[in-house]
Amino acid sequence: MAERTGYDAVIVGASLAGCTAATLLGRAGLRVALIEKSPDPAAFKRICTHFIQSSAVSTLERLGVLEELEEMGARRSRIRLWSRWGWIMPPERPELPASVNIRRERLDPFLRRLAGGTPGVELMLGIAAEELVRDEQGAVVGVVTRDRSGARTTLKAPLTVGADGRDSKVAELATVKTRRLPHGRFAYAAYYEGPPPAGAPDGSLWLLDPSMAAVFPTDEGLTLYACMPSNDRLPEFRRDVERGLERFVSEIPDAPPILESRRVSPVAGKLDMTNVLRAPVAPGLALIGDAAFALDPLWGIGCGFALQMADWLADAVTPALRGEQPLSQGLLAYRKRQRAGLNEHAAAIVGYATGRKLNLGERLVFSAAARDPRLAATFEAFGTRNIAPRRFLASVLPRALALRARDAIQPRRRRSLPLPEPAEAAL
């Protein structure tokens, strides 16, 4: 078996997280082996809302790709959210950066070319990870790979990164601690061309309690229409998924123009969306993207979390890979940063992913944010993952409760007021 050494990191998976981490580590002067099991440089993830949250825009800016993505047709957008209390609209004078919508078939190859063209990064396509290499203390020190001809090669490095998705082979081989939590919905989506939906280029979400629908305008004038019904509705979709998607979306309140549009992609679906949460580090190992957290896609967080985790990892381990500190210290810093940035969001996301209906607190917040612009602005900051759930609740609950109390008091006050005299009434 051939052996190749001299790498500072071996990254398994050349999608959003892997390419971002490789690019940032390469720019830091480190040598990176970036392996991808698909031999196709234009490969892309096919089941994805393509939505990059506002909280991850800073990573795109750090990569220096934001303007180029916009030149490729990426749409900058905010999010409108409908619940039975009405629309929660984005603020007229937003303080947060707009989110980014661009299809994965354009984004993935673009970031792969960026990584492959970065000095220090060696992009290896058609290479699969088969085994992990460990030292005498059990720390991971590399990967055994196999190419499409069957040839096996050992790639050795102080750091191995699993960026290979929700079914991560690296995580399986490393036997990291894993939690799997149930999901009570399924998903179907497709791209359409036709009249722009209301609010475009902003995206729209419908919380139908417990089901969901979404509309995301994107590049080349296309719109992604998606639905996530509760599992009890799966039989009606299985008979005809295209008709099921179009019927579902066309019957929601303030329905977008899906029936006036033409489908231009296959209907992609996912029936098993079990939430997967893994320990993000082990000796010599880090997990990023869906390999670390594969969560309910209802909130459009997958792409953004992948970019952010890659960003945080690169910052945390670069000093160690330069020999300035132990690698364990860098991995600990990454674990702390990931925990601080994502754990509260993950807990809130998996709590609602079961397919349950909104609880009392959620109903209170949604009803108040639909009619209070200040609460709507705070809601946007939370929904785009710029602030954590605890901070969000501390900001909105007192005002939401005050609004509820005012609503309860005002009718009684109106009933207790004396009736005006006829002359006064005429005036």
Side-chain angles (χ1 to χ4, degrees), residues 112-179:
R112 196 170 294 122
R113 289 193 301 271
L114 179 72
T118 301
V121 177
E122 187 175 350
L123 176 61
M124 307 176 189
L125 300 177
I127 305 294
E130 288 208 328
E131 301 173 26
L132 295 180
V133 182
R134 298 181 183 271
D135 64 14
E136 294 179 354
Q137 288 72 44
V140 177
V141 293
V143 178
V144 177
T145 68
R146 182 186 294 272
D147 67 19
R148 295 176 70 80
S149 71
R152 286 160 58 89
T153 303
T154 297
L155 303 175
K156 300 193 76 174
L159 175 65
T160 298
V161 180
D164 49 343
R166 76 160 39 237
D167 299 318
S168 172
K169 180 72 171 179
V170 172
E172 177 187 345
L173 293 170
T175 63
V176 297
K177 183 179 179 180
T178 302
R179 295 177 63 204

Side-chain angles (χ1 to χ4, degrees), residues 112-324:
R112 196 170 294 122
R113 289 193 301 271
L114 179 72
T118 301
V121 177
E122 187 175 350
L123 176 61
M124 307 176 189
L125 300 177
I127 305 294
E130 288 208 328
E131 301 173 26
L132 295 180
V133 182
R134 298 181 183 271
D135 64 14
E136 294 179 354
Q137 288 72 44
V140 177
V141 293
V143 178
V144 177
T145 68
R146 182 186 294 272
D147 67 19
R148 295 176 70 80
S149 71
R152 286 160 58 89
T153 303
T154 297
L155 303 175
K156 300 193 76 174
L159 175 65
T160 298
V161 180
D164 49 343
R166 76 160 39 237
D167 299 318
S168 172
K169 180 72 171 179
V170 172
E172 177 187 345
L173 293 170
T175 63
V176 297
K177 183 179 179 180
T178 302
R179 295 177 63 204
R180 298 180 184 275
L181 299 168
H183 198 291
R185 303 179 184 89
F186 61 96
Y188 283 107
Y191 287 99
Y192 286 74
E193 64 177 8
D202 291 344
S204 299
L205 294 176
W206 283 260
L207 283 182
L208 303 165
D209 201 18
S211 297
M212 167 268 187
V215 172
F216 293 107
T218 188
D219 57 278
E220 294 190 356
L222 301 181
T223 299
L224 180 74
Y225 288 101
C227 68
M228 288 181 60
S230 51
N231 283 340
D232 59 294
R233 299 193 61 175
L234 183 57
E236 67 185 82
F237 278 80
R238 278 183 162 150
R239 291 190 289 269
D240 187 335
V241 294
E242 179 183 358
R243 184 173 182 275
L245 170 63
E246 294 182 353
R247 180 178 177 180
F248 187 96
V249 173
S250 67
E251 293 178 352
I252 61 180
D254 298 338
I258 189 171
L259 298 182
E260 292 76 53
S261 304
R262 181 176 70 89
R263 184 168 59 84
V264 296
S265 77
V267 177
K270 194 165 184 62
L271 304 185
D272 179 9
M273 297 188 292
T274 301
N275 296 280
V276 182
L277 300 91
R278 297 186 176 99
V281 300
L285 176 77
L287 301 177
I288 54 178
D290 281 355
F293 279 0
L295 303 175
D296 181 5
L298 188 154
W299 307 105
I301 43 79
C303 295
F305 282 4
L307 293 169
Q308 289 177 283
M309 280 189 262
D311 195 343
W312 299 337
L313 176 67
D315 274 349
V317 301
T318 291
L321 297 179
R322 287 174 172 167
E324 299 167 6

Side-chain angles (χ1 to χ4, degrees), residues 375-387:
L375 290 184
T378 307
F379 190 92
E380 183 194 40
F382 164 65
T384 56
R385 310 301 159 178
N386 281 284
I387 61 173

